[in-house]
Amino acid sequence: KQLVSTQSTGGHGGRYILDSLKTGAVEKQFYTDADLTIGSKINVWGREVTICDMDEFTAYHYKSKFNVDKPTPIHYKQTEAAKTEREVPPYNGWGSEEDSRANCLKLIAQAPKRDFIKFMKKDRQGLDSHVLRYFARLDTNRPIDMDRTFIISFFLSDDTISVFEPEKRNSGIVHGKFIERSKIKKPSGEYYAAEDLHVGAVVNFRSHQFLITDADEYALSYAEKHQFPEAAVERIMGEIAKNIPEVNELMEETEIPLELFVKFLESYCQLTRHAMLTIARKYAFPREPKITYELVLNLSKDRLRKKKYDRYDDLLLCLEECVENEHDRYVDPDEVFRVCTTLGLPLSNDLLTALIQLVPKTNGKVDYSMFVEILQSKDVVENNILFIPDGSLIKPSPEKIGWAGLRDDHFNHESISKIDLLSFRNDLKTIKSKSDSNSPAKSCSSQG
């Protein structure tokens, strides 16, 4: 209904009458099917839209109602040649490259999606850190930078890399975080993967060239377990077998020092440092470790005493709840680590990991009552305990001999004293006999 104002007072409460003749009505025009056809232009909320095509039902409607055949459709799609590729500006170094790229692809920026399943599988799980740590130095001839050392950490949960520079007194260089944790691209444009980092490799991180000289025990074991190219024993032994003419001509000794074994391999084939280290670890006579259970236990008890830790009853109660059978007193090492960290045991991760690894076990499990008892015992802790940095409990000190073996272009592995050359010769003979039996010439002669 329309109302017409009969009095305008300029204020509230005017007079109105019903406009039965619709003298003040505004006629609104709407589009009908007669206005719509291929090629016609309509106004949609201030935007001019051209109709390019119609479906079969609409064409039948226009034929039956208006006796109009379907006009020729208008081609509106761009050809592949006419399409212009969207240019993404170069990365400026702020934030992550994936986040910066997401801001350029859509009008409303969205955070890049992470591989959550991979993150959950490769995140820290008890004693398994899923972090590969390498020792490196700058690959440069500048005297001021030649002695600088770095720790490269590769995080398997999201393939990110961080670089840390340890403190070196009186060097005049500020230590600490050198490259923040992020994904790093190779000069070729691909992202670095875990297989690209190995002892002896030269990597380029943000225009800085690093020579990887060492790796910690976890990185070496992880690479061997997952058959990284430079840590696959079968592949490396096959390559050695191809280059050594006769196994019988090898040295007759049953064991040789590590340095002589490395020179022997270098004389026959060209292997990477990591590959040589893998073979040396495979056929090594292990040494007695310098870091013993007694040393780690005394160091742990000393720190607990200094921190005045007294929640041993809570620790025992929580470990009891981890046991499936109430008559059982053995717990998995991962559960011991989880409970200790949850209750805030004032021990660093490396020290706690070393303690749980070295504590006596039964069928791979820890006697939780004995574990709590030895920590709570009032036995006199040795005075003048040798100071050991937390990191050296899991790896040898890089300042002395390096983590694994390569230091100043020489191998020096703390856990390797001599190589079992007898086992090496026997395995090499087995590989060469298999390769000879599978060769085409051998098979043809046998058939003849």
Side-chain angles (χ1 to χ4, degrees), residues 233 236-237 240 244 250-251 253-269 271-285 411 413 416-428:
V233 177
I236 300 172
M237 289 295 292
I240 295 174
I244 294 181
L250 298 180
M251 292 175 284
E253 292 84 353
T254 58
E255 59 182 42
I256 58 174
L258 175 62
E259 294 77 9
L260 294 180
F261 182 71
V262 172
K263 291 180 181 179
F264 163 74
L265 292 179
E266 290 177 344
S267 62
Y268 281 98
C269 50
L271 297 176
T272 62
R273 293 287 180 174
H274 199 113
M276 292 185 184
L277 183 59
T278 301
I279 298 301
R281 285 164 52 86
K282 171 71 174 177
Y283 299 99
F285 289 113
F411 274 93
H413 200 296
I416 298 177
S417 58
K418 292 184 179 181
I419 303 299
D420 186 0
L421 192 60
L422 180 60
S423 300
F424 175 75
R425 278 200 302 261
N426 293 336
D427 291 347
L428 207 58

Side-chain angles (χ1 to χ4, degrees), residues 159-219:
D159 295 341
T160 54
I161 298 173
S162 68
V163 181
F164 179 84
E165 184 171 8
E167 181 180 6
K168 187 172 290 186
R169 297 184 62 183
N170 299 327
S171 64
I173 299 175
V174 179
H175 64 281
K177 182 169 57 178
F178 189 79
I179 295 180
E180 190 174 2
R181 178 179 175 180
S182 61
K183 283 189 174 182
I184 300 179
K185 282 188 174 182
K186 305 177 188 177
S188 60
E190 301 175 353
Y191 287 106
Y192 276 102
E195 294 81 358
D196 299 321
L197 305 182
H198 56 83
V199 177
V202 177
V203 294
N204 190 309
F205 295 162
R206 310 276 174 82
S207 300
H208 297 281
Q209 288 218 359
F210 296 92
L211 172 62
I212 299 179
T213 59
D214 265 323
D216 66 356
E217 178 63 27
Y218 180 79

